[in-house]
Amino acid sequence: MEISVASVTISVAVVVVSWWVWRTLQWVWFKPKMLESYLRRQGLAGTHYTPLIGDLKRNVNMLTEATSKPIKLTDDITPRLLPHPFQMLKTHGRTFFTWLGPKPTITIMEPELIKEVFNKVYDYPKAQTFLLSSLIATGIINYDEYGTCVPPELQRDVISRTAFGSSYKEGQRIFELQAELVHLILQAFWKVYIPGYRYLPTKGNRRMKTAASEIQVILRGIVNKRVRAREAGKAPNDDLLGILLESNLGQAKGNGMSTEDVMEECKLFYFAGQETTSVLLVWTIVLAHHQDWQARAREEVKQVFGDKEPDTEGLNQLKVMTMILYEVLRPYPPVTHLTRAIHKEMKLGDLTLPGGVHISLPIMLVQRDTKLWGNDAAEFKPERFKDGLSKATKSQVSFFPFAWGPRICIGQNFVMLEAKMAMALILQRFSIELSPSYVHAPQTVWVWFKPKTLERYLRRQGLAGTPYTPLVGDLKRNFSMLAEARSKPIKLTDDITPRVVPYPLQMLKTHGMVPGWHLDSSVFKTVKRFQLLYLYVVETGRTFYTWLGPIPTINIMDPEQIKEVFNKVYDFQKVHTFPLARLIAAGLVSYDGDKWAKHRRIINPAFHLEKIKNMVPAFHQSCSEIVGEWDKLVSDKESSCEVDVWPGLVSMTADVISRTAFGSSYVEGQRIFELQAELAQLIIQAFQKAFIPGYHYLPTKGNRRMKAAAREIQVILRGIVNKRLRAREAGEAPSDDLLGILLESNLGQTEGNGMSTEDVMEECKLFYFAGQETTTVLLVWTMVLLSQHQDWQARAREEVKQVFGDKEPDTEGLNQLKVMTMILYEVLRLYPPVSQLTRAIHKEMKLGDLTLPGGVHISLPIMLVQRDTELWGKDAAEFKPERFKDGLSKATKSQVSFFPFAWGQRICIGQNFALLEAKMAMALILQKFSFELSPSYVHAPDTVFTIHPQFGAPLILHKL
């Protein structure tokens, strides 16, 4: 009987498929269930196996829930960072198993068992579950050989040097690529149990391979360059790479490392060396809120170094600092657990464990265990290390942030000495306290897991946005577009939004419309499903998200949603992402909850219209002085002169604040204005590095200058406030300026409900900055636009003449200036002082039809909304004050589409002050001059906190 080729082929195929199915079933079901039975027979408790994914989904869900809200500084962080292992510890005891996909992982908490695992390095090798992680770095941390190739010199003085004798700038590309790889690998982790997934040519996998190849090329260049330099006798040998190459060349033939091996060690230097020290330093700085220990550490640093530069010998003498660093590493270890693999049946204590399981050594759980560390295990008590590690741990393996035994981290002394150097320099120059805006939210790989979880959440809501870029988000893109936009001026008739808010505008255009569709409801009238699609696009297309570092920011343009955000002040709170901004001014504008309500109640009396009316004479005096100076420049009647009005308006509004707020002249308060202007520039520069963890604590030149300027402002303001308090006690203090009214209102509160002196000073800083800045920009853009629109300038002058003639403007008359009010509103619409407001969401919230997760921001883009053609008509970009002739409500069609001073309960408390001051200034200017744009005027609106004219505002003043 003949056997056909086809039947043979089919038979072979059946055998192959059957074999593959059997292997898959063996891997996915039979082997895991066999291991589970084995472990349960040993008396171990654990979760039931879920095919393929194990506990991954459960773990991720618990982690997402735990990290969705911040915690108190005094709270235990383990339920936030290790919610699943923590729950298992409570419900299943101190030895239990969970599932890493189809692999059972046994968690052990007993020091003797942990010691045994660390000591038997060949029986308990490193777990190699996720091979893609080797793209970042392998090296000694992943090997089970090469124990003798890394020399002891690595642990001596050389650890204070750089690894490669190059600057961060030269190696910056490696850091960038490794950071990108971390996030791509973590993204791939979600699909780790899809067989062969890492071999598929997905976009992420291709990018991983490309990035890894680029790192290899850069490192090969560094290593080969150093090898050639060694051969020429010109290579340094006092950095890590030099010592490594020297040690490697000294090995017997065949026992050394290849160039590829050396490169892997270099990758490990770059990644682990930077990551470990960064997290140690940031938590040391955060825990410096224990002021007693901060003081002890500073005293020790002063005793050892004085004001001199720290050296190695002195750093090794810092006993208190060592105690503090150990105590930081105990509750905040760089990694939360270590994993080891078992490849054959092994005895571990009384347990007999099968090959194919993993052992988890939960560093954080062990180092916070009350059975090992006492009832105060969760407290920060560096004194527990005063007699050294052995005494603190009672000679048990209960402290292993750098592992333990033969495989203890070879770079631990490097890290400790680097951390001591950084802390010594910081403590020599600064004292540290937590900002009120600090949110305690330790998170494992916060730059990836949480942002990606939030991104998926938002996309499921139908929101469009940019893909997340690790750590920086859209910051780099935003700054590049802003730098490009402000590099060239625009025409007076051009829309200013592409220059002031280029990135949000581009997002609105690209994410606010379906590409290639002309959305006209008449086109879809006949087809119901197309009508629904049209409505959906119109409603959600104008809502999109961007990234402020790792935080998604949702931009909303819908007036109803904006109204809801403004109305729910306790649900949509002020954002505190960038603490340095508080150096300029905190006060009422930055507070939330009960503190905001208390301060608003106390400050309100200072801004009652009746009180502001009493300040009008001060408005007149300050404005008259500047107008008088301009008058001197234009000597004869009907003559003209070019004047840059911007500096004069800055001086005038500053003088108004000094007189009305503090009863002093601009000259007396001038230093505060200068310092606040300098701070604004420094903070904007620092904002570009805002998402480098702990950056604002580093003693950089800019940071030191910011702190010095902030301290000088505090000293001046403390002097002003204390002087006023003494005058009040002597019955000699004025009570008709803002400070006087504020102090009077504050003293009238019941005990415990008032403001502290520091709170009063913060409100004073806010008076100075916001009071001066807002009115200045309103006035300068009013003069620029009236120079361009002579018809409206003439109408405003005519109104001023009708109401005042040549007399001094007064409160009653200023309130009658209807045309002037229309003009100021239209200027505020087109040129709002700030281009956007931001609010934070700390818990899941409904906003219209959207459900938004905790941890996102809401952006209210004032400028985009106030220039939106859908809300203001096709002439939205044009200067047309007549749109306000029937008042705000009619102009906005009773929608929240005009909010230059915010809206609702948190509307700017000083808006009436700003508008009355602006009317006074414009009335005096219009009485004396007509004005037009100078040929030298360059139209370049520029954001410096508020919207400034980048090149000033030169106008031609004509004396009337």
Side-chain angles (χ1 to χ4, degrees), residues 64-114:
T64 302
E65 169 64 22
T67 55
S68 65
K69 44 190 177 292
I71 58 176
K72 295 176 184 175
L73 261 171
T74 52
D75 288 347
D76 185 3
I77 67 171
T78 45
R80 179 184 168 87
L81 292 181
L82 301 167
H84 189 233
F86 183 69
Q87 183 194 63
M88 292 294 294
L89 177 64
K90 289 201 292 186
T91 57
H92 291 76
R94 296 169 63 78
T95 304
F96 55 86
F97 65 87
T98 53
W99 294 90
L100 183 65
K103 291 253 185 201
T105 300
I106 302 158
T107 297
I108 58 174
M109 295 280 293
E110 295 304 324
E112 282 305 309
L113 298 182
I114 294 169

Coordinates of all heavy atoms in Angstrom, one line a residue, residues 64-114:
T64 N -2.9 50.2 41.4 CA -3.6 51.3 40.9 C -4.5 52.0 41.9 O -4.5 53.2 42.0 CB -4.4 50.9 39.6 OG1 -3.5 50.3 38.7 CG2 -5.1 52.1 39.0
E65 N -5.2 51.2 42.6 CA -6.1 51.8 43.6 C -5.3 52.4 44.7 O -5.6 53.5 45.2 CB -7.0 50.6 44.2 CG -7.8 51.0 45.5 CD -8.8 52.1 45.2 OE1 -9.2 52.3 44.1 OE2 -9.2 52.7 46.2
A66 N -4.3 51.8 45.2 CA -3.5 52.3 46.3 C -2.8 53.6 46.0 O -2.6 54.5 46.8 CB -2.4 51.2 46.7
T67 N -2.3 53.7 44.7 CA -1.5 54.9 44.3 C -2.4 56.0 43.8 O -1.9 57.0 43.3 CB -0.5 54.5 43.3 OG1 -1.1 53.9 42.2 CG2 0.6 53.6 43.9
S68 N -3.7 55.8 43.8 CA -4.6 56.9 43.2 C -4.8 58.0 44.2 O -5.3 59.1 43.8 CB -6.0 56.3 42.9 OG -6.6 55.8 44.1
K69 N -4.3 57.9 45.4 CA -4.5 59.0 46.4 C -3.2 59.1 47.3 O -2.6 58.1 47.6 CB -5.7 58.8 47.2 CG -6.0 57.4 47.8 CD -7.3 57.3 48.4 CE -7.6 55.8 48.9 NZ -7.8 54.9 47.8
P70 N -2.9 60.3 47.7 CA -1.7 60.4 48.5 C -2.0 60.0 49.9 O -3.1 59.7 50.3 CB -1.4 62.0 48.5 CG -2.7 62.6 48.2 CD -3.5 61.6 47.3
I71 N -0.9 59.9 50.8 CA -1.1 59.5 52.2 C -0.5 60.5 53.1 O 0.2 61.5 52.6 CB -0.4 58.1 52.4 CG1 1.1 58.2 52.0 CG2 -1.2 57.0 51.7 CD1 1.8 56.9 52.3
K72 N -0.7 60.4 54.4 CA 0.0 61.3 55.3 C 1.4 60.9 55.5 O 1.8 59.7 55.4 CB -0.8 61.2 56.7 CG -2.2 61.8 56.6 CD -2.9 61.6 58.0 CE -4.3 62.0 57.9 NZ -5.0 61.7 59.2
L73 N 2.2 61.8 55.9 CA 3.6 61.5 56.2 C 3.8 60.5 57.3 O 4.8 59.7 57.3 CB 4.4 62.8 56.6 CG 5.2 63.5 55.5 CD1 5.7 64.8 55.9 CD2 6.4 62.6 55.0
T74 N 2.8 60.4 58.2 CA 2.9 59.5 59.3 C 2.3 58.1 59.0 O 2.4 57.2 59.8 CB 2.2 60.1 60.5 OG1 0.9 60.5 60.1 CG2 2.9 61.3 61.1
D75 N 1.7 58.0 57.8 CA 1.1 56.7 57.4 C 2.2 55.7 57.0 O 3.3 56.1 56.5 CB 0.2 56.9 56.2 CG -1.1 57.6 56.7 OD1 -1.3 57.7 57.9 OD2 -1.9 58.0 55.8
D76 N 1.9 54.4 57.2 CA 2.8 53.3 56.7 C 2.7 53.3 55.1 O 1.6 53.3 54.6 CB 2.3 52.0 57.2 CG 3.2 50.8 56.9 OD1 4.2 51.1 56.2 OD2 2.9 49.7 57.2
I77 N 3.8 53.3 54.5 CA 3.8 53.4 53.0 C 3.7 52.0 52.4 O 3.5 51.9 51.2 CB 5.1 54.0 52.4 CG1 6.4 53.2 52.7 CG2 5.2 55.4 53.0 CD1 7.6 53.7 52.0
T78 N 3.8 50.9 53.1 CA 3.8 49.6 52.5 C 2.4 49.2 51.9 O 2.4 48.6 50.8 CB 4.2 48.5 53.5 OG1 3.5 48.7 54.8 CG2 5.6 48.4 53.7
P79 N 1.3 49.6 52.5 CA 0.0 49.4 51.8 C -0.1 50.1 50.5 O -0.9 49.7 49.6 CB -1.1 49.9 52.8 CG -0.4 49.9 54.1 CD 1.0 50.2 53.8
R80 N 0.7 51.2 50.3 CA 0.6 51.9 49.0 C 1.6 51.3 48.0 O 1.2 51.2 46.8 CB 1.0 53.4 49.3 CG 1.0 54.3 48.1 CD 1.5 55.7 48.4 NE 1.7 56.4 47.2 CZ 0.9 57.1 46.5 NH1 -0.4 57.1 46.9 NH2 1.2 57.7 45.4
L81 N 2.8 50.9 48.4 CA 3.8 50.4 47.5 C 3.6 48.9 47.2 O 4.0 48.4 46.1 CB 5.2 50.7 48.0 CG 5.6 52.2 48.0 CD1 7.0 52.3 48.5 CD2 5.4 52.8 46.6
L82 N 3.3 48.1 48.3 CA 3.2 46.7 48.1 C 1.8 46.2 48.6 O 1.7 45.4 49.6 CB 4.3 46.0 49.0 CG 5.7 46.4 48.6 CD1 6.6 45.9 49.7 CD2 6.1 45.8 47.3
P83 N 0.7 46.7 48.0 CA -0.6 46.4 48.6 C -0.9 44.9 48.6 O -1.5 44.4 49.6 CB -1.6 47.2 47.7 CG -0.8 47.4 46.4 CD 0.6 47.6 46.8
H84 N -0.5 44.2 47.5 CA -0.9 42.7 47.4 C 0.0 41.9 48.4 O -0.6 41.1 49.2 CB -0.7 42.2 46.0 CG -1.2 40.9 45.8 ND1 -0.5 39.9 45.3 CD2 -2.4 40.3 46.1 CE1 -1.2 38.7 45.2 NE2 -2.4 39.0 45.8
P85 N 1.3 42.1 48.4 CA 2.1 41.3 49.4 C 1.7 41.7 50.9 O 1.7 40.8 51.7 CB 3.6 41.8 49.1 CG 3.5 42.2 47.7 CD 2.2 42.8 47.5
F86 N 1.4 43.0 51.1 CA 1.0 43.4 52.4 C -0.2 42.7 52.9 O -0.4 42.2 54.0 CB 0.9 44.9 52.4 CG 0.5 45.5 53.8 CD1 1.5 45.5 54.8 CD2 -0.7 46.1 54.0 CE1 1.2 46.0 56.0 CE2 -1.0 46.6 55.3 CZ 0.0 46.6 56.3
Q87 N -1.2 42.6 52.0 CA -2.5 41.9 52.3 C -2.2 40.4 52.5 O -2.8 39.8 53.4 CB -3.5 42.1 51.1 CG -4.8 41.5 51.4 CD -5.7 41.4 50.1 OE1 -5.3 40.7 49.2 NE2 -6.8 42.1 50.1
M88 N -1.4 39.8 51.7 CA -1.0 38.4 51.8 C -0.4 38.1 53.2 O -0.6 37.1 53.8 CB -0.1 38.0 50.7 CG -0.8 37.9 49.3 SD -2.1 36.7 49.2 CE -1.1 35.2 49.3
L89 N 0.5 39.0 53.6 CA 1.2 38.9 54.9 C 0.2 38.9 56.0 O 0.3 38.1 57.0 CB 2.2 40.0 55.1 CG 2.9 40.1 56.4 CD1 3.8 38.8 56.6 CD2 3.8 41.4 56.5
K90 N -0.8 39.7 55.9 CA -1.8 39.8 57.0 C -2.8 38.6 57.0 O -3.2 38.1 58.0 CB -2.7 41.1 56.8 CG -1.9 42.4 57.2 CD -2.7 43.6 57.5 CE -3.5 44.1 56.3 NZ -4.3 45.3 56.7
T91 N -3.1 38.1 55.8 CA -4.1 37.0 55.7 C -3.5 35.6 55.7 O -4.1 34.6 56.0 CB -5.0 37.2 54.5 OG1 -4.1 37.2 53.3 CG2 -5.8 38.5 54.6
H92 N -2.2 35.5 55.2 CA -1.6 34.2 55.1 C -0.4 33.9 55.9 O 0.3 32.8 55.8 CB -1.3 33.9 53.6 CG -2.5 33.8 52.7 ND1 -3.2 34.9 52.3 CD2 -3.0 32.7 52.1 CE1 -4.2 34.5 51.5 NE2 -4.1 33.2 51.4
G93 N 0.1 34.9 56.7 CA 1.2 34.6 57.6 C 2.5 35.1 56.9 O 2.6 35.7 55.8
R94 N 3.6 34.7 57.6 CA 5.0 35.3 57.2 C 5.7 34.5 56.1 O 6.7 34.9 55.6 CB 5.8 35.3 58.5 CG 5.3 36.3 59.5 CD 6.0 36.2 60.9 NE 7.4 36.5 60.8 CZ 7.8 37.8 60.7 NH1 7.0 38.8 60.8 NH2 9.1 38.0 60.7
T95 N 5.2 33.4 55.7 CA 5.7 32.7 54.5 C 4.5 32.2 53.7 O 3.6 31.5 54.2 CB 6.5 31.4 54.9 OG1 7.6 31.8 55.8 CG2 7.1 30.8 53.7
F96 N 4.4 32.7 52.5 CA 3.3 32.5 51.6 C 3.7 32.5 50.2 O 4.8 32.8 49.9 CB 2.2 33.5 51.9 CG 2.6 34.9 51.7 CD1 2.6 35.5 50.4 CD2 3.1 35.7 52.8 CE1 3.1 36.8 50.2 CE2 3.5 37.0 52.6 CZ 3.5 37.6 51.3
F97 N 2.8 32.0 49.3 CA 3.2 32.1 47.9 C 2.1 32.8 47.1 O 0.9 32.8 47.4 CB 3.4 30.7 47.3 CG 2.2 29.8 47.2 CD1 1.4 29.8 46.1 CD2 2.0 28.9 48.2 CE1 0.3 29.0 46.0 CE2 0.9 28.1 48.2 CZ 0.0 28.1 47.1
T98 N 2.6 33.5 46.0 CA 1.8 34.2 45.1 C 2.2 33.8 43.7 O 3.1 32.9 43.6 CB 1.9 35.7 45.2 OG1 3.3 36.1 45.1 CG2 1.3 36.2 46.5
W99 N 1.6 34.3 42.6 CA 2.0 33.9 41.3 C 2.5 35.0 40.4 O 1.8 36.0 40.2 CB 0.7 33.2 40.6 CG 0.3 32.0 41.3 CD1 -0.6 31.9 42.4 CD2 0.7 30.7 41.1 NE1 -0.7 30.6 42.8 CE2 0.1 29.8 42.0 CE3 1.6 30.1 40.1 CZ2 0.3 28.4 42.0 CZ3 1.8 28.7 40.1 CH2 1.2 27.9 41.0
L100 N 3.7 34.8 39.8 CA 4.2 35.7 38.8 C 4.0 35.0 37.5 O 4.8 34.2 37.0 CB 5.7 36.0 39.1 CG 6.4 36.9 38.1 CD1 5.8 38.3 38.3 CD2 7.9 37.0 38.3
G101 N 2.8 35.3 36.9 CA 2.4 34.5 35.7 C 2.2 33.0 36.2 O 1.6 32.7 37.2
P102 N 2.8 32.1 35.4 CA 2.7 30.7 35.8 C 3.7 30.2 36.8 O 3.9 29.0 37.0 CB 2.9 30.0 34.4 CG 3.7 30.9 33.7 CD 3.5 32.3 34.1
K103 N 4.5 31.1 37.4 CA 5.6 30.8 38.3 C 5.1 31.1 39.8 O 4.8 32.3 40.1 CB 6.8 31.6 38.1 CG 7.5 31.2 36.8 CD 8.8 30.4 37.1 CE 9.5 30.2 35.8 NZ 10.4 29.0 35.9
P104 N 5.1 30.1 40.7 CA 4.8 30.5 42.1 C 6.0 31.1 42.7 O 7.2 30.8 42.5 CB 4.6 29.1 42.7 CG 5.2 28.1 41.8 CD 5.3 28.7 40.5
T105 N 5.8 32.2 43.5 CA 6.8 33.0 44.1 C 6.6 32.9 45.6 O 5.5 33.3 46.1 CB 6.8 34.4 43.6 OG1 7.0 34.5 42.2 CG2 7.9 35.2 44.3
I106 N 7.5 32.3 46.4 CA 7.4 32.2 47.8 C 8.0 33.3 48.5 O 9.2 33.6 48.3 CB 8.1 30.8 48.2 CG1 7.4 29.7 47.5 CG2 7.9 30.6 49.8 CD1 8.3 28.5 47.4
T107 N 7.2 34.0 49.3 CA 7.7 35.2 50.0 C 8.2 34.7 51.4 O 7.4 34.1 52.1 CB 6.7 36.3 50.2 OG1 6.4 36.8 48.8 CG2 7.1 37.5 51.0
I108 N 9.4 35.0 51.8 CA 9.9 34.6 53.2 C 10.3 35.9 54.0 O 10.8 36.8 53.4 CB 11.1 33.6 53.1 CG1 12.2 34.3 52.3 CG2 10.6 32.3 52.4 CD1 13.5 33.4 52.3
M109 N 9.9 35.8 55.3 CA 10.2 37.0 56.1 C 11.2 36.6 57.3 O 11.6 37.5 58.0 CB 8.8 37.4 56.8 CG 7.8 37.9 55.9 SD 8.1 39.7 55.4 CE 7.8 40.5 57.0
E110 N 11.5 35.4 57.4 CA 12.4 35.0 58.5 C 13.9 35.3 58.2 O 14.4 34.8 57.2 CB 12.2 33.5 58.8 CG 10.8 33.1 59.3 CD 10.4 33.9 60.6 OE1 11.3 34.2 61.4 OE2 9.2 34.2 60.7
P111 N 14.6 36.0 59.1 CA 16.0 36.4 58.8 C 16.9 35.2 58.6 O 17.8 35.3 57.7 CB 16.4 37.1 60.1 CG 15.1 37.7 60.6 CD 14.0 36.7 60.3
E112 N 16.7 34.0 59.3 CA 17.5 32.9 59.1 C 17.4 32.3 57.7 O 18.3 31.9 57.0 CB 17.3 31.8 60.1 CG 17.9 32.1 61.5 CD 19.4 32.4 61.4 OE1 20.1 31.6 60.8 OE2 19.9 33.4 61.9
L113 N 16.1 32.3 57.2 CA 15.9 31.8 55.8 C 16.5 32.7 54.8 O 17.0 32.3 53.8 CB 14.4 31.6 55.6 CG 13.6 30.6 56.5 CD1 12.2 30.5 56.1 CD2 14.3 29.2 56.4
I114 N 16.3 34.0 55.0 CA 16.8 35.1 54.1 C 18.4 34.9 54.1 O 19.0 35.0 53.0 CB 16.4 36.5 54.6 CG1 14.9 36.6 54.5 CG2 17.2 37.5 53.8 CD1 14.4 37.9 55.1

